[in-house]
C-alpha cells in the first residue's frame, strides 16, 4: 500500500509512487521511467509547520516515510548535506543520492572526507530510524575506509543499512558509490547507543 505522503509527493512531481514486493518505498518519474536524479526537483516531504525541524523530529512525529524526498535540515552542520535526496527506505535500509557540489568539496575539488563521515553518520542514523522511529541514538563510534575520490559535480549514491539492532546498541554500515559506475568511494561503520 502506498502511504499518503508518497502519493502526495508523486502527484506534485508528475511521478508515480510504486509499491513493491520488498519493504522498500520508491518514487519513479513518469516522464523518465527512472528514479529521480539530482537534476529533478524533488519536493521536500514536509509541510509549512515542519520547516526548521530536523529529519529526526519529523520521523518521530510521522514515521520513517518522512525521510523520503529532499533532505531537510534546520540549519547548523546538517546544511552541508543540502542537495541530498532520499530515494528509498525499507526496514533497516536507506538509499540516498547527493551531488558533489562546492559545499561538500575539498581543496582538490573532490568529495571531502568530513562530508563522507557526515554522510555515514546521517545515513546510518536514518537506517536506524526505519526500524525505531523514536530512537535515533547517540554516536559511540564511527569509522570510514576511503577507496577512491568522487569528483566535482559527480553524483554519489549512499546506501545505509542496519547490521544489528540490540537493546542498547545499533550497528550500521554505509557505502558511498559512484552513481555512473557503482564503484566504491568509501565504506563506513557507525555504532550508536540507543
Amino acid at each position: 500500500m502506498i502511504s499518503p505522503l508518497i502519493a502526495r509527493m508523486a502527484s506534485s512531481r508528475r511521478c508515480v509512487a510504486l509499491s513493491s514486493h520488498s519493504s522498500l518505498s520508491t518514487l519513479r518519474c513518469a516522464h523518465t521511467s527512472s528514479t529521480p536524479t539530482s537534476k529533478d526537483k524533488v519536493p521536500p516531504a514536509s509541510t509549512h509547520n515542519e520547516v526548521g525541524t530536523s529529519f529526526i523530529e519529523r520521523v518521530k512525529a510521522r514515521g520513517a516515510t518522512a525521510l523520503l524526498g529532499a533532505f531537510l535540515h534546520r540549519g547548523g552542520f546538517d546544511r552541508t548535506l543540502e542537495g541530498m535526496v532520499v530515494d528509498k527506505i525499507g526496514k533497516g535500509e536507506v538509499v540516498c543520492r547527493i551531488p558533489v557540489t562546492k559545499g561538500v568539496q575539498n581543496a582538490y575539488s573532490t568529495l571531502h572526507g568530513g562530508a563522507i563521515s557526515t554522510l555515514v553518520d546521517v545515513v546510518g542514523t536514518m537506517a536506524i530510524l526505519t526500524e525505531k522511529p523514536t530512537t535515533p541514538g547517540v554516536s559511540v563510534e564511527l569509522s570510514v575506509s576511503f577507496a577512491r575520490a568522487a569528483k566535482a559535480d559527480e553524483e554519489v549514491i549512499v546506501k545505509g543499512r542496519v547490521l544489528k539492532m540490540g537493546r542498547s546498541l545499533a550497528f550500521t554500515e554505509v557505502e558511498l558509490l559512484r552513481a555512473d559506475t557503482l564503484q566504491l568511494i568509501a565504506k563506513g561503520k557507525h555504532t550508536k547507543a540507543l
Side-chain angles (χ1 to χ4, degrees):
M1 182 175 149
I2 302 297
S3 76
L5 167 68
I6 295 171
R8 187 182 81 232
M9 289 172 62
S11 67
S12 68
R13 301 192 62 233
R14 293 187 336 235
C15 292
V16 178
L18 302 175
S19 89
S20 64
H21 297 348
S22 73
S23 60
L24 291 177
S25 298
T26 305
L27 278 179
R28 286 225 185 263
C29 294
H31 63 283
T32 63
S33 300
S34 65
T35 302
T37 67
S38 61
K39 294 174 185 78
D40 292 323
K41 298 291 183 202
V42 178
S46 70
T47 60
H48 287 299
N49 63 354
E50 290 181 320
V51 173
T53 60
S54 73
F55 69 95
I56 293 170
E57 292 164 336
R58 282 191 309 282
V59 171
K60 283 181 179 180
R62 294 198 352 246
T65 57
L67 293 171
L68 284 167
F71 177 74
L72 296 178
H73 57 83
R74 64 173 173 200
F77 195 74
D78 282 351
R79 81 171 161 256
T80 60
L81 300 183
E82 211 157 17
M84 183 170 78
V85 175
V86 180
D87 289 321
K88 297 178 185 179
I89 60 168
K91 185 171 168 77
E93 297 179 314
V94 177
V95 179
C96 308
R97 62 191 149 77
I98 187 168
V100 182
T101 59
K102 289 260 185 225
V104 292
Q105 291 175 20
N106 59 21
Y108 303 104
S109 297
T110 61
L111 186 59
H112 193 286
I116 291 172
S117 296
T118 300
L119 286 163
V120 170
D121 181 358
V122 169
V123 176
T125 300
M126 289 178 172
I128 291 168
L129 290 171
T130 65
E131 289 195 23
K132 291 190 172 187
T134 60
T135 312
V138 293
S139 297
V140 173
E141 183 176 22
L142 188 141
S143 65
V144 181
S145 296
F146 302 93
R148 65 182 41 85
K151 296 180 178 142
D153 300 320
E154 273 190 270
E155 188 164 70
V156 174
I157 296 170
V158 187
K159 296 181 177 185
R161 67 186 181 106
V162 173
L163 297 174
K164 181 180 182 213
M165 182 80 75
R167 283 181 285 149
S168 59
L169 291 175
F171 301 88
T172 67
E173 179 178 77
V174 177
E175 289 184 330
L176 285 78
L177 310 164
R178 285 187 170 159
D180 57 351
T181 64
L182 297 181
Q183 290 178 304
L184 182 69
I185 295 165
K187 184 182 252 187
K189 301 224 180 201
H190 188 200
T191 305
K192 296 194 87 172
L194 304 175

